[in-house]
Amino acid sequence: MDVARADDVQAAARSILAKHGQIDLLVNNAGLNVPERSWKELEIGGWDQVVTVNLSGSLVVREEIPSC
């Protein structure tokens, strides 16, 4: 599941709810590290991926699973 993709999060939530009936606890702990360890070598694509997963992904999960 890609936490930055709302459709992936929705599908996972539907699957969990179908199996268990509710979501009691949510640990929003997905994250990436920068692909290059040097700021000189870091490209915008790598930076964008980290920001999308680490920051936007948390918001997507919170929006798609609001009961937690």
Side-chain angles (χ1 to χ4, degrees), residues 25-50:
L25 176 70
L26 175 65
V27 177
N28 205 349
N29 193 37
L32 296 175
N33 202 343
V34 291
E36 296 83 14
R37 300 311 261 165
S38 167
W39 286 105
K40 285 183 173 181
E41 297 171 12
L42 181 61
E43 295 181 6
I44 193 70
W47 176 257
D48 285 344
Q49 183 182 24
V50 169

